[in-house]
Amino acid sequence: GIDMALVGGVVVAVLVGIGGVVYLLCAGGPKKRRFKGDAVFLLGLCDSGKTSMLFLLRDGLQDGALHPTHTSQAPNEDTFVPAGLEDRKPLRVIDFPGHGRLRPQLIEMLEDCAAVVFLIDACTFATQARQVAELLLDLMTSTALLKHCDKMLVVCGKIDALPDELAGISPKMMVKKRLETEIEGGRPSRGQG
């Protein structure tokens, strides 16, 4: 005959398995992060001034100077009323590290984005123009960003550390023209890859 204890054990195991699957699917499974779609992302290469911008927005200048910062491998996130705008509602700001290795994580998080502030360091731009353009092009062609975010501001910081004119052209115009050239140069290679 049939061992009824064995059959009962198999039935219980099957029911527990089905219950576990239903539980995982409906309530307690590995949860995907819930995004609100209201964050302002501070983006750019390493050392472009993202964290300084976060502190400047949150705290204003401290004794006439920027808050000291250091390079990080993890996003900084804070919700605050911007300094000097106490009558406004709080703003959620995410300062995302500029390291290329973290880019896949950034692309995943972009569905949480309402606006992007893209920072460029004018002092290092001449040597990093191609990397800056690649990141900017990655963002501008990201389906997640295009779907969830319709505002982008490009900020070129540390421009005061450059001479007023370089070969008869203002630093702002130099950065703008070089960035346009690098982006246009990068677009054809995207279609081939």
Side-chain angles (χ1 to χ4, degrees):
I2 298 177
D3 185 359
M4 292 310 277
L6 181 61
V7 170
V10 169
V11 169
V12 168
V14 168
L15 289 175
V16 168
I18 290 172
V21 168
V22 168
Y23 175 76
L24 286 174
L25 291 174
C26 296
K31 294 195 186 245
K32 185 178 177 190
R33 181 176 168 174
R34 292 258 180 221
F35 293 119
K36 300 176 187 173
D38 65 348
V40 175
F41 276 69
L42 302 177
L43 303 176
L45 296 183
C46 293
D47 298 321
S48 60
K50 300 176 297 294
T51 305
S52 291
M53 179 67 76
L54 172 72
F55 290 140
L56 182 62
L57 288 170
R58 189 187 69 195
D59 305 328
L61 291 175
Q62 300 296 309
D63 298 321
L66 291 173
H67 193 294
T69 65
H70 63 278
T71 301
S72 173
Q73 294 295 314
N76 292 314
E77 182 174 342
D78 201 357
T79 302
F80 54 88
V81 174
L85 300 174
E86 284 70 25
D87 59 333
R88 303 287 171 95
K89 67 180 187 176
L91 186 64
R92 192 163 69 97
V93 179
I94 298 174
D95 158 24
F96 197 89
H99 198 286
R101 188 180 65 198
L102 301 172
R103 199 116 348 123
Q105 182 184 354
L106 168 63
I107 300 302
E108 279 181 23
M109 290 179 67
L110 284 177
E111 66 186 74
D112 201 15
C113 184
V116 169
V117 177
F118 188 88
L119 288 102
I120 298 172
D121 179 348
C123 295
T124 62
F125 180 73
T127 58
Q128 296 183 331
R130 179 163 287 136
Q131 294 95 325
V132 170
E134 286 173 359
L135 175 55
L136 196 52
L137 195 53
D138 283 349
L139 292 170
M140 293 189 308
T141 58
S142 161
T143 54
L145 188 68
L146 292 171
K147 182 177 177 184
H148 299 282
C149 174
D150 61 354
K151 298 169 197 75
M152 181 183 287
L153 173 66
V154 177
V155 175
C156 189
K158 305 178 192 174
I159 212 147
D160 55 331
L162 297 176
D164 288 340
E165 282 197 4
L166 300 168
I169 188 168
S170 75
K172 292 177 197 173
M173 190 55 70
M174 178 196 68
V175 169
K176 180 179 184 276
K177 290 289 185 192
R178 176 83 187 273
L179 192 55
E180 288 171 352
T181 301
E182 290 291 342
I183 288 174
E184 285 300 316
R187 289 176 68 196
S189 63
R190 296 282 168 126
Q192 297 167 3

